[in-house]
C-alpha cells in the first residue's frame, strides 16, 4: 500500500507540473512560436520521412553523419578514418556548393590519414579509400564539372592535387613559396578554373584545370578561409577571416571586383541556387545549366551570426544570430534552410562528460515564412564537424526494389570496406601532469611531453628514431578563453598520415591524454589540432620527425613515404575499388 501511495503522489505531482507548464505557455504566447525550444502543437515539426538528406563531415570522430532535413534527425554515422573535412557529391559541381549529385557516390577527405573516402549512396557503406601521395596533407576537396576528378589542397605541404577518381592516381603541383597553406577550394562550373585560398600568403590562387597549373595569385584580405564560386561562375566570394571582409573576385577579369565589410571573423559561405524561371533547382529533374543565385550566406565566428549578402547589391542585407561561433555553413537543396555548424554549445545541453558538445543549428531562410530568420532546430553532434552538403532524398534510390535479375544495383558480389580506426595504439587519461615539455627515455621508451595552448604546442618539433616505442603525453594548459564562450576549451592533437590513426587525441583541460605506439615509418609528419579551439586553430601546429639512422634526419624529401601509403585496409595510390577487385578486374 505504501508503495502504491508513493506512486500515486508522484504521478499526481507530475500531472500538476505539466498542467502548470501548459498554463504558463498559454499565458505567454511567445512560447508558442515554433522554434528550437518549442515544438509546434500538432507535432508535425518532426517528420519521419525527410525530403532532403544532409551528409556531414564528422571531423575528429572520423565519420560521415547522415542527417534528415527538416527533421534534423541523425540517421547514421559511417566510419571513414581519423579527421574528416570536406563532403563532395559525385556527379557534377554545377549549381551551388551542393552541386548536381548523381545519387551514386559521395566523397569525404580524411585530413588525419591523408586519404579520400568514397561512400556508395545506394548501399550506404564505405566502398573505397584513395590514398594520396606523401607528403601532402589534404585539407579540402572539390568536384570537377565533368565528375571525373577531385581537386585537393595540400595544407601541410604547400601542394595542390588533381585526383582521377576512376584510377585514384594524383597529379601534384607545388604552390610556393614557403610557408604555404592551400586551404578551401572550389572549381568553376564551366570546368575552366580552380580557385583556392592560401592563408599564409593571404591570396587566392587561380589554377587552370587542363593543364593543371597555377596561373596567378590574387591578393585578398588577411588570412582567407572560404573560397566559394556562384552558380554562374562569374564571381568568387572569399571570406577574409582576419579582415572582417568579403572579397569578391571577378572570374572573367581574374581580379578583385569589390571588398565589402561583412562581420567579425568571417569563415565560410554558401549560396542559394535557382532555375531560369526563378524556381528552386531540382537536381536530377531540372537542367543544371543557366542557374543563378540571389544571396550568399557567410558564417561569422566572432560575431555569433550568419550574414546574408545580396549578389545584386554586393552588400549585407541581413544578419541572423547563431549559438555559438559558426564555423562552416550549409544550405538546404531547396534553399529553405541554412545550417550553421557551430563550434561551441556552452550552456545549451546537458553535460555528458569532459568534452563539451558542438552543434548544428537550422534557421529558416524562407523570406515569406512567419519564422524567417528564426532558429527552428538545434542539436548536439559528434566530433568537431567541418562541412556538410545536402541532396534531395529522391536521388537515393531504394536498391531493394531492383533485384539483380532485373538490372538492379546489386548485380554481383559487393565487398564492404572497414577502415582501420585508431589502430596500433593504446590511449588513456591520467591526472594532469606538470612534467616540463621535452623528450626523454624511460625504461627504453621515448616519452614525449607536450603542452598545448592557444595557439601552438611546446615543443614545436619532436624527433624520435625509427623503431622507437613512443609514449606521448599531451596536456592542454590553456585558460578559459572569453572569445570562445566556453569555460573549458577542448583541444586536439593528431600526427597526420600513418600516425593519424594512432595519435588522434582529445585534450580537455584538467587531465593529460596519453598515447602509446611504435614509430616504424620514417618521415616528417605535421602535428595539428583537431578540436576547434579558437580563431587561429588552423595555425596550431608542430612537427613529428621519425629519423632512420641509416638514412639520416628525416624531412619532407627523406622518409618512408611509399610505406606511409600502405596503411592496413587502405588502397595504394591508383588501385582499383573494392568491388572491382572482387570481380577480378
Amino acid at each position: 500500500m505504501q508503495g502504491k501511495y508513493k506512486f500515486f503522489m508522484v504521478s499526481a505531482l507530475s500531472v500538476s507540473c505539466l498542467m502548470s507548464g501548459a498554463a504558463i505557455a498559454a499565458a505567454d504566447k511567445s512560447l508558442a512560436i515554433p522554434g528550437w525550444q518549442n515544438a509546434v502543437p500538432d507535432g508535425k515539426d518532426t517528420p519521419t520521412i525527410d525530403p532532403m538528406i544532409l551528409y556531414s563531415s564528422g571531423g575528429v570522430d572520423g565519420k560521415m553523419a547522415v542527417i534528415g532535413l527538416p527533421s534534423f534527425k541523425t540517421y547514421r554515422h559511417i566510419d571513414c578514418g581519423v579527421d574528416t573535412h570536406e563532403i563532395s557529391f559525385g556527379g557534377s559541381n554545377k549549381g551551388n556548393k551542393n552541386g548536381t549529385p548523381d545519387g551514386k557516390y559521395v566523397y569525404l577527405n580524411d585530413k588525419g590519414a591523408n586519404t579520400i573516402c568514397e561512400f556508395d549512396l545506394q548501399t550506404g557503406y564505405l566502398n573505397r579509400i584513395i590514398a594520396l601521395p606523401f607528403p601532402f596533407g589534404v585539407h579540402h576537396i572539390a568536384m570537377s564539372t565533368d565528375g571525373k576528378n577531385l581537386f585537393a589542397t595540400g595544407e601541410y605541404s604547400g601542394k595542390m592535387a588533381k585526383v582521377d577518381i576512376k584510377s585514384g592516381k594524383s597529379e601534384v603541383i607545388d604552390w610556393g613559396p614557403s610557408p604555404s597553406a592551400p586551404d578551401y577550394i572550389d572549381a568553376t562550373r564551366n570546368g575552366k578554373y580552380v580557385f583556392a585560398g592560401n592563408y599564409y600568403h593571404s591570396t587566392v590562387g587561380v589554377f587552370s584545370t587542363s593543364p593543371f597549373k597555377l596561373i596567378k595569385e590574387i591578393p585578398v584580405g588577411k588570412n582567407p578561409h572560404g573560397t566559394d564560386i556562384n552558380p554562374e561562375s562569374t564571381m568568387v566570394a572569399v571570406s577574409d577571416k582576419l579582415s572582417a571582409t568579403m572579397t569578391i573576385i571577378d572570374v572573367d577579369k581574374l581580379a578583385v571586383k569589390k571588398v565589402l565589410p561583412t562581420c567579425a571573423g568571417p569563415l565560410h559561405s554558401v549560396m542559394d541556387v535557382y532555375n531560369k524561371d526563378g524556381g528552386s533547382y531540382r537536381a536530377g529533374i531540372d537542367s543544371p545549366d543557366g542557374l543563378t543565385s540571389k544571396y550568399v550566406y557567410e558564417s561569422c565566428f566572432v560575431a555569433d551570426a550568419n550574414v546574408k549578402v545580396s549578389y545584386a547589391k554586393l552588400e549585407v542585407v541581413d544578419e541572423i544570430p547563431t549559438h555559438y561561433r559558426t564555423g562552416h555553413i550549409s544550405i538546404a537543396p531547396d534553399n529553405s534552410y541554412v545550417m550553421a555548424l557551430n563550434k561551441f554549445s556552452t550552456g545549451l545541453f546537458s553535460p555528458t562528460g569532459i568534452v563539451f558538445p558542438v552543434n548544428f543549428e537550422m534557421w529558416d531562410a524562407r523570406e515569406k515564412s512567419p519564422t524567417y530568420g528564426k532558429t527552428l532546430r538545434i542539436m548536439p553532434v559528434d566530433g568537431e564537424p567541418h562541412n556538410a552538403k545536402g541532396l534531395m532524398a529522391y536521388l537515393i534510390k531504394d536498391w531493394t526494389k531492383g533485384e539483380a535479375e532485373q538490372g538492379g544495383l546489386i548485380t554481383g558480389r559487393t565487398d564492404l570496406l572497414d577502415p582501420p580506426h585508431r589502430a596500433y595504439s593504446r590511449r588513456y587519461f591520467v591526472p594532469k601532469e606538470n612534467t616540463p615539455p621535452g623528450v626523454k627515455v624511460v625504461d627504453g621508451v621515448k616519452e614525449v611531453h607536450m603542452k598545448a595552448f592557444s595557439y601552438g604546442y611546446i615543443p614545436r618539433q619532436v624527433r624520435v628514431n625509427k623503431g622507437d616505442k613512443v609514449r606521448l603525453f599531451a596536456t592542454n594548459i590553456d585558460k578559459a578563453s572569453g572569445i570562445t564562450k566556453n569555460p573549458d576549451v577542448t583541444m586536439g592533437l593528431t600526427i597526420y598520415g600513418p600516425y593519424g590513426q594512432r595519435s588522434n587525441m582529445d585534450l580537455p583541460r584538467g587531465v593529460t591524454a596519453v598515447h602509446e605506439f611504435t614509430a616504424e615509418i620514417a618521415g616528417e609528419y605535421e602535428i595539428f589540432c583537431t578540436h576547434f579551439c579558437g580563431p587561429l586553430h588552423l595555425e596550431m601546429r608542430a612537427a613529428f620527425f621519425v629519423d632512420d639512422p641509416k638514412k639520416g634526419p628525416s624531412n619532407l624529401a627523406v622518409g618512408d613515404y611509399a610505406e606511409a601509403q600502405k596503411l592496413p585496409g587502405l588502397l595504394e595510390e591508383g588501385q582499383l575499388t573494392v568491388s572491382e577487385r572482387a570481380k577480378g578486374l
Side-chain angles (χ1 to χ4, degrees):
M1 291 292 294
Q2 192 174 7
K4 291 181 180 179
Y5 178 74
K6 285 184 177 180
F7 174 77
F8 174 78
M9 289 298 293
V10 170
S11 300
L13 286 171
S14 299
V15 171
S16 175
C17 290
L18 287 172
M19 292 177 67
S20 298
I24 293 171
D28 186 354
K29 294 183 179 180
S30 66
L31 294 178
I33 298 174
W36 61 280
Q37 292 175 314
N38 305 281
V40 294
D42 61 9
K44 292 181 179 179
D45 62 327
T46 54
T48 56
I49 303 298
D50 281 296
M52 297 170 285
I53 307 292
L54 188 72
Y55 288 84
S56 167
S57 161
V60 72
D61 74 353
K63 301 177 187 292
M64 179 178 69
V66 184
I67 300 166
L69 294 179
S71 74
F72 238 35
K73 293 177 179 177
T74 300
Y75 290 173
R76 299 184 63 194
H77 286 99
I78 308 172
D79 267 325
C80 175
V82 182
D83 180 42
T84 56
H85 276 244
E86 180 71 30
I87 290 285
S88 185
F89 290 117
S92 172
N93 68 352
K94 289 186 176 182
N96 59 3
K97 294 296 291 184
N98 292 324
T100 298
D102 59 10
K104 296 179 180 178
Y105 297 104
V106 62
Y107 298 89
L108 175 59
N109 74 286
D110 185 347
K111 183 176 176 180
N114 197 51
T115 59
I116 298 174
C117 299
E118 179 185 82
F119 299 89
D120 189 325
L121 288 174
Q122 303 299 313
T123 62
Y125 284 92
L126 179 65
N127 177 67
R128 179 189 182 199
I129 300 178
I130 302 171
L132 292 171
F134 274 92
F136 190 71
V138 60
H139 192 177
H140 285 282
I141 57 175
M143 180 60 64
S144 65
T145 304
D146 60 11
K148 295 180 179 179
N149 298 285
L150 285 165
F151 299 99
T153 53
E155 182 187 11
Y156 296 152
S157 61
K159 300 178 185 291
M160 300 283 292
K162 179 181 179 181
V163 182
D164 180 82
I165 294 174
K166 184 176 182 179
S167 69
K169 293 182 178 180
S170 302
E171 180 183 352
V172 178
I173 59 176
D174 285 310
W175 184 2
S178 182
S180 178
D183 187 11
Y184 206 57
I185 187 173
D186 203 359
T188 56
R189 286 25 173 184
N190 57 13
K192 189 175 182 180
Y193 297 122
V194 170
F195 290 82
N198 192 313
Y199 57 78
Y200 279 159
H201 291 183
S202 287
T203 62
V204 167
V206 185
F207 299 81
S208 61
T209 59
S210 184
F212 186 46
K213 67 177 183 178
L214 176 65
I215 297 176
K216 67 180 297 186
E217 284 193 83
I218 302 173
V220 293
K222 189 172 177 59
N223 206 273
H225 218 56
T227 307
D228 303 285
I229 302 170
N230 65 345
E232 301 96 317
S233 293
T234 57
M235 291 185 282
V236 183
V238 184
S239 298
D240 305 320
K241 181 169 72 172
L242 300 184
S243 297
T245 57
M246 176 185 287
T247 298
I248 301 295
I249 294 175
D250 187 311
V251 174
D252 291 331
K253 297 179 179 179
L254 296 183
V256 173
K257 179 183 181 72
K258 186 175 182 180
V259 179
L260 54 143
T262 51
C263 59
L267 292 183
H268 291 282
S269 63
V270 291
M271 60 288 299
D272 52 20
V273 61
Y274 295 93
N275 286 311
K276 295 177 181 178
D277 61 5
S280 292
Y281 172 51
R282 300 170 299 173
I285 297 176
D286 301 326
S287 170
D289 299 315
L291 303 176
T292 188
S293 179
K294 297 178 183 178
Y295 300 108
V296 55
Y297 302 90
E298 185 175 53
S299 64
C300 309
F301 176 81
V302 176
D304 279 338
N306 294 170
V307 294
K308 180 177 180 179
V309 177
S310 166
Y311 267 129
K313 299 177 181 179
L314 288 183
E315 63 181 37
V316 175
V317 295
D318 206 351
E319 181 173 329
I320 292 86
T322 58
H323 308 79
Y324 304 96
R325 306 303 184 193
T326 307
H328 283 275
I329 189 170
S330 182
I331 190 168
D334 67 352
N335 305 318
S336 54
Y337 312 107
V338 170
M339 277 63 67
L341 282 54
N342 299 320
K343 299 295 187 183
F344 294 99
S345 301
T346 306
L348 292 182
F349 306 111
S350 300
T352 55
I354 59 177
V355 176
F356 287 77
V358 296
N359 75 78
F360 280 11
E361 179 175 13
M362 182 176 77
W363 60 268
D364 194 344
R366 299 167 295 181
E367 292 181 319
K368 295 182 180 180
S369 169
T371 55
Y372 166 76
K374 303 293 184 182
T375 297
L376 303 178
R377 306 275 189 278
I378 191 166
M379 67 172 178
V381 292
D382 290 339
E384 193 267 289
H386 288 81
N387 219 347
K389 294 175 184 173
L391 49 63
M392 300 305 295
Y394 58 71
L395 292 169
I396 309 299
K397 301 175 180 61
D398 184 354
W399 64 267
T400 60
K401 302 245 177 100
E403 286 73 18
E405 62 270 17
Q406 298 170 348
L409 293 167
I410 307 301
T411 56
R413 172 177 166 178
T414 301
D415 285 34
L416 305 177
L417 185 63
D418 294 315
H421 194 56
R422 288 180 175 154
Y424 301 104
S425 71
R426 181 186 176 201
R427 314 179 285 128
Y428 51 94
F429 288 114
V430 297
K432 183 178 179 180
E433 64 152 22
N434 295 313
T435 305
V439 181
K440 60 182 181 179
V441 180
V442 178
D443 297 328
V445 177
K446 286 280 180 73
E447 286 197 348
V448 180
H449 297 266
M450 298 194 74
K451 310 299 182 185
F453 58 93
S454 298
Y455 298 95
Y457 300 98
I458 299 176
R460 175 78 175 175
Q461 295 185 350
V462 174
R463 283 192 179 271
V464 301
N465 290 323
K466 185 176 179 179
D468 280 347
K469 292 182 179 179
V470 177
R471 184 176 294 124
L472 175 58
F473 296 79
T475 307
N476 177 355
I477 63 171
D478 229 0
K479 300 292 178 66
S481 176
I483 197 171
T484 61
K485 287 190 176 177
N486 196 311
D488 279 313
V489 178
T490 299
M491 293 179 173
L493 187 153
T494 292
I495 307 168
Y496 107 91
Y499 301 103
Q501 298 163 335
R502 312 176 194 198
S503 62
N504 193 14
M505 297 184 178
D506 290 331
L507 305 181
R509 291 176 65 237
V511 297
T512 293
V514 186
H515 265 52
E516 297 178 355
F517 58 89
T518 300
E520 80 277 30
I521 302 175
E524 176 184 345
Y525 304 99
E526 202 83 7
I527 296 172
F528 67 100
C529 180
T530 43
H531 252 284
F532 193 92
C533 56
L536 296 181
H537 160 75
L538 285 182
E539 287 85 340
M540 188 169 169
R541 307 268 196 88
F544 184 70
F545 297 87
V546 180
D547 296 333
D548 186 338
K550 297 179 181 179
K551 298 179 182 178
S554 60
N555 53 50
L556 291 179
V558 178
D560 300 331
Y561 296 120
E563 292 300 314
Q565 288 182 303
K566 299 177 182 178
L567 298 179
L570 298 188
L571 300 176
E572 294 179 42
E573 183 185 10
Q575 275 193 303
L576 298 173
T577 66
V578 174
S579 57
E580 287 172 332
R581 285 187 288 127
K583 296 173 183 176
L585 298 178

